[in-house]
Amino acid sequence: MTPNPISPTIPLDSDGIHHGFLRLPYSRDDSAWGSIMIPLTVIKNGDGPTALLTGANHGDEYEGPVALQELTVKLKPEDITGRVIIVPAFNYPAFRAGLRTSPIDKGNMNRAFPGRPDGTPTEKIADYFQRVLLPMADIAVDFHSGGKTLDFVPFAAAHILENKANEAACFAAMAAFNAPYSVQLLEIDNVGMYDTAVEDMGKVLVSTELGGGGSATAKSIAVAKKGLRNVLIHAGILKGEMQIDPTVRLDMPDGNCFVFSENDGLYEPMVDLGEQVSQGDVVARVWPVDRTGIAPIEYRAKVTGLLISRHFPGLIKAGDCAAVIGLKVG
Ligand SMILES: [Zn+2]
């Protein structure tokens, strides 16, 4: 198979701490023999498990990049056994543009797997993770939040999998991450996801949704930092005691958890994040934007649970996700 064109500027398997880049050649108008330089830190101390830590899989989600930047300056080789590979901005062109997808090829990293070595920049990055970085890893943490268009209660997530041994390992890692909410979910359309690539290799994955709206808060970043530390201890890489606080366990078993708008208009949330919702409750209303004296369209919950996600901008379009409800477990 065609080799991947990305080359790391630092060793991936030497003891110590190395800061550098994944260099992806990208010839373009403003740089004839130019490259995309994706920041990378590798910290290694002897033999042991490898954790692969990624932020900005979507470029407008910020808790991961902040927490991972801090890890690159705080974590010392002598603190660990094994290896930590840190890529704070997985889809680096999207991250630099402040966009969900890459401005170069419109590539959505979480729909680009397994990627292509001869494809677009997003596909080349995906292929490098698929064939080079993921095979080195035992556990992966991939940070998400809502980006510019959604907001979430802070949760760690693990998927319901056919491989029950791997599912149990992923659930244990989610519990170690110990976000205020922990969500088990069945992915209905998992084709092309990084999550699926990790799980299909039999590796442990924790993903998150920690906030949204195209920024981050002190609280949501603190959830990311604590979760990272806990997962590294859980994986046997970092020494120390995990900090475990109460978590609300939720289930997203099917598409009934989602409420989609069928209208363009002015979005009125009727419930705030984390609040209890009963089946049939109005969770959002959509008002006309172009005239007065017309009643709003009401959108109702199909299930009973907690509001875990909502549309973020003040205006909404037909097809947008208006709200997501998680079912309480136990
Ligand atoms: Zn995301």
Side-chain angles (χ1 to χ4, degrees):
M1 196 169 185
T2 312
N4 188 284
I6 292 175
S7 53
T9 65
I10 54 171
L12 299 177
D13 53 6
S14 296
D15 276 354
I17 181 163
H18 297 88
H19 305 291
F21 302 91
L22 296 170
R23 191 177 72 78
L24 166 57
Y26 177 52
S27 181
R28 57 197 191 269
D29 288 342
D30 66 347
S31 186
W33 286 6
S35 300
I36 297 167
M37 303 292 276
I38 304 165
L40 166 73
T41 290
V42 180
I43 306 167
K44 183 172 177 288
N45 184 20
D47 293 331
T50 292
L52 177 57
L53 310 175
T54 45
N57 176 321
H58 295 124
D60 61 350
E61 304 174 1
Y62 297 102
E63 287 81 2
V66 173
L68 292 172
Q69 282 285 11
E70 185 182 79
L71 201 63
T72 69
V73 296
K74 274 202 167 169
L75 193 63
K76 304 283 180 269
E78 57 268 29
D79 299 334
I80 68 167
T81 304
R83 177 170 54 177
V84 180
I85 301 172
I86 305 170
V87 182
F90 193 165
N91 195 341
Y92 185 68
F95 173 72
R96 289 299 302 268
L99 298 171
R100 180 173 181 81
T101 61
S102 174
I104 299 170
D105 54 25
K106 293 292 168 198
N108 178 342
M109 188 63 74
N110 225 26
R111 294 291 181 277
F113 276 79
R116 294 176 61 102
D118 56 355
T120 68
T122 305
E123 291 170 328
K124 286 172 176 166
I125 296 168
D127 177 68
Y128 189 78
F129 273 74
Q130 177 80 35
R131 291 194 294 145
V132 179
L133 294 182
L134 265 180
M136 297 177 182
D138 299 285
I139 185 165
V141 180
D142 189 36
F143 284 97
H144 289 260
S145 60
K148 289 194 173 87
T149 63
L150 291 173
D151 197 10
F152 284 91
V153 298
F155 68 79
H159 289 115
I160 295 164
L161 302 173
E162 280 177 26
N163 177 341
K164 290 300 169 190
N166 196 35
E167 177 189 281
C170 293
F171 278 30
M174 170 180 72
F177 190 99
N178 190 232
Y181 298 82
S182 301
V183 178
Q184 58 186 59
L185 52 100
L186 183 67
E187 204 67 57
I188 293 160
D189 177 22
N190 68 0
V191 175
M193 290 179 70
Y194 176 59
D195 310 53
T196 311
V198 179
E199 291 155 357
D200 283 353
M201 254 181 242
K203 316 278 186 177
V204 176
L205 173 78
V206 183
S207 69
T208 72
E209 299 287 358
L210 295 182
S215 190
T217 66
K219 278 196 181 73
S220 65
I221 291 167
V223 171
K225 291 179 181 180
K226 187 192 91 172
L228 265 179
R229 182 176 174 279
N230 275 1
V231 167
L232 290 175
I233 294 168
H234 171 77
I237 295 172
L238 180 64
K239 301 170 192 82
E241 293 287 315
M242 289 195 280
Q243 179 193 334
I244 298 293
D245 303 302
T247 184
V248 177
R249 288 191 56 210
L250 297 166
D251 188 12
M252 285 177 60
D254 56 44
N256 284 331
C257 298
F258 295 84
V259 180
F260 291 98
S261 180
E262 297 180 6
N263 300 82
D264 291 10
L266 173 64
Y267 172 73
E268 180 187 5
M270 299 296 286
V271 187
D272 285 326
L273 289 177
E275 289 182 357
Q276 177 77 36
V277 177
S278 295
Q279 184 180 20
D281 284 357
V282 177
V283 292
R285 304 198 296 181
V286 177
W287 293 88
V289 285
D290 56 350
R291 67 199 59 235
T292 54
I294 298 203
I297 310 288
E298 294 181 335
Y299 288 96
R300 293 175 187 274
K302 285 170 273 191
V303 293
T304 294
L306 298 184
L307 190 78
I308 62 169
S309 179
R310 52 156 284 192
H311 181 74
F312 188 78
L315 299 179
I316 194 163
K317 295 184 298 300
D320 287 350
C321 180
V324 183
I325 293 141
L327 281 55
K328 272 190 155 172
V329 177

